[in-house]
């Protein structure tokens, strides 16, 4: 599993592999996941502005940001001129993370499953909000929305190649990557889920 976004133009690793069970556990919390998504999507931000973005208290967001910092997932950056040094901005340490279980032990697999579940929970939350607001969208945005599902026949290597190609196609449009954003552009949620289909239960 992986999710990728560009936080800002400052050079940092494109992707960081995460296998440590403790770090995976930090990701599996819904609020921490939303905070990390926000920082990767919008770039450096203070705990106060993060709180507004995720609809939570500044003190609670500050606590969870410090926990993410403890596991090396976010870092502090210099405050803007005139801003309160006590509320210095945070930023994600990388532009993407790859989540992989460290072996086949039950603890590692459980931690990996928890991260995937949290990520899918966040996606479900966004989809529900989208559907609730669908009627108020302009017709072009209604027609442009896509919820497609495909049944593919692939080897593991072919699947890795396919998702890598999709990543290359998408990357130029990532918010902080793009410098020529059209005036009528809007923020888009774009997700890819690809996995071996489970065998049907009898």
């Amino acid at each position: 599993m992986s999710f990728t976004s560009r936080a800002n133009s400052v050079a940092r690793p494109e992707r960081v592999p995460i296998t440590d069970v403790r770090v995976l556990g930090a990701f599996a919390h819904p609020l921490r996941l939303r905070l990390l998504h926000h920082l990767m999507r919008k770039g450096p931000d203070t705990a106060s502005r993060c709180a507004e973005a995720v609809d939570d208290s500044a003190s609670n967001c500050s606590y969870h940001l410090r926990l993410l910092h403890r596991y090396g997932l976010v870092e502090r950056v210099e405050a803007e001129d005139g801003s309160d040094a006590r509320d210095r901005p945070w930023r994600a340490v990388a532009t993407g993370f790859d989540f992989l279980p460290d072996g086949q032990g039950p603890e590692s697999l459980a931690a990996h499953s928890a991260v995937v579940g949290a990520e899918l929970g966040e996606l479900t939350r966004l989809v529900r909000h989208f559907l609730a607001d669908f009627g108020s969208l302009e017709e072009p945005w209604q027609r442009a929305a896509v919820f497609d599902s495909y049944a593919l026949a692939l080897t593991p290597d072919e699947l890795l190649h396919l998702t890598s190609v999709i990543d290359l196609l998408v990357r130029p449009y990532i918010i902080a990557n793009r410098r020529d954003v059209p005036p009528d552009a809007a923020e888009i949620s774009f997700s890819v889920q690809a996995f071996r289909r489970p065998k049907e239960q009898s």
Side-chain angles (χ1 to χ4, degrees):
M1 173 200 173
S2 66
F3 66 79
T4 302
S5 181
R6 288 302 296 267
N8 56 38
S9 59
V10 178
R12 290 191 306 286
E14 287 289 327
R15 290 179 182 271
V16 171
I18 303 295
T19 59
D20 189 303
V21 170
R22 295 170 301 172
V23 182
L24 289 172
F27 275 108
H29 189 282
L31 178 58
R32 291 195 287 270
L33 188 65
R34 291 182 66 190
L35 287 168
L36 195 58
H37 271 282
H38 173 71
L39 292 176
M40 290 196 300
R41 190 174 73 250
K42 293 296 188 181
D45 217 346
T46 65
S48 298
R49 291 197 295 262
C50 285
E52 294 176 4
V54 301
D55 193 24
D56 209 302
S57 70
S59 60
N60 197 33
C61 287
S62 181
Y63 167 79
H64 286 288
L65 286 165
R66 290 196 302 270
L67 193 148
L68 289 171
H69 178 258
R70 184 187 309 167
Y71 289 113
L73 302 173
V74 303
E75 61 188 5
R76 301 300 288 265
V77 296
E78 290 300 320
E80 299 175 358
D81 292 342
S83 62
D84 189 344
R86 293 173 300 178
D87 197 20
R88 288 170 55 197
W90 297 89
R91 71 173 180 180
V93 301
T95 61
F97 298 90
D98 289 327
F99 304 105
L100 300 168
D102 186 12
Q104 298 297 312
E107 186 179 8
S108 178
L109 293 175
H112 181 258
S113 295
V115 175
V116 175
E119 180 71 13
L120 291 177
E122 174 63 7
L123 177 60
T124 299
R125 185 187 69 84
L126 291 174
V127 171
R128 285 175 175 166
H129 278 286
F130 167 77
L131 293 176
D133 295 338
F134 186 80
S136 63
L137 290 176
E138 297 175 356
E139 185 180 355
W141 286 116
Q142 291 181 344
R143 289 187 285 104
V146 174
F147 293 91
D148 288 338
S149 181
Y150 305 89
L152 308 179
L154 299 170
T155 67
D157 286 343
E158 288 174 331
L159 179 54
L160 286 171
H161 173 72
L162 177 60
T163 53
S164 296
V165 169
I166 293 173
D167 182 70
L168 288 174
L169 290 173
V170 170
R171 190 163 292 280
Y173 299 99
I174 292 174
I175 292 173
N177 275 359
R178 195 167 187 187
R179 297 292 176 264
D180 60 339
V181 180
D184 59 341
E187 187 173 323
I188 302 300
S189 176
F190 186 93
S191 303
V192 177
Q193 293 82 43
F195 52 89
R196 179 172 174 172
R197 186 181 178 88
K199 293 182 179 178
E200 299 293 342
Q201 299 297 316
S202 58

